[in-house]
Amino acid sequence: PLDLKNNSGSFLVYLQERGIQPPAITRDTLLDYHAYRTEVGAKGEERTRKHVKTIARLLDRLHRDPAFAPFGFTAPGHPYGDGRNKY
C-alpha cells in the first residue's frame, strides 16, 4: 500500500546509517527509532508513535511477502502496549 511505501524511507535510512540488517530488527529497534524521531523530528509524540506503528505494519507485510523472503525481514510488532485499561 502507498502509505506504507511513503513512510518507509526515513526508517530504511535509519537502519542503513546504523548498519542494522532486516533480520536484526526488534521491538527495541523500533523503540530506539521512536526516540530518534522524537529527538530530531518536529512532528510530536503522537505523530511519531503513529509513524512507528505504520513501520511495524510495513515490517509485518515484508515478513509475510514471499518476494521479500531473501531479505529476512522480521515482524516484531509495534513496541507499545495496547493502551486499553483492563479494569
Side-chain angles (χ1 to χ4, degrees):
L2 189 58
D3 70 318
L4 297 179
K5 178 184 171 189
N6 290 342
N7 280 289
S8 66
S10 59
F11 181 66
L12 295 175
V13 168
Y14 173 84
L15 294 176
Q16 190 273 328
E17 287 177 345
R18 285 153 185 78
I20 301 170
Q21 296 297 313
I25 299 169
T26 64
R27 286 183 183 216
D28 285 339
T29 306
L30 294 176
L31 284 172
D32 291 344
Y33 179 62
H34 175 108
Y36 167 78
R37 292 276 297 195
T38 301
E39 181 181 320
V40 301
K43 301 287 185 187
E45 176 68 24
E46 187 175 325
R47 288 195 60 193
T48 298
R49 189 176 177 96
K50 182 178 177 183
H51 173 74
V52 172
K53 285 182 177 184
T54 300
I55 294 301
R57 283 194 350 262
L58 170 68
L59 292 172
D60 181 63
R61 190 168 184 110
L62 294 174
H63 175 73
R64 291 182 289 116
D65 189 328
F68 288 90
F71 299 102
F73 279 95
T74 62
H78 73 76
Y80 315 114
D82 66 11
R84 293 181 285 183
N85 186 350
K86 297 179 183 175
Y87 301 102

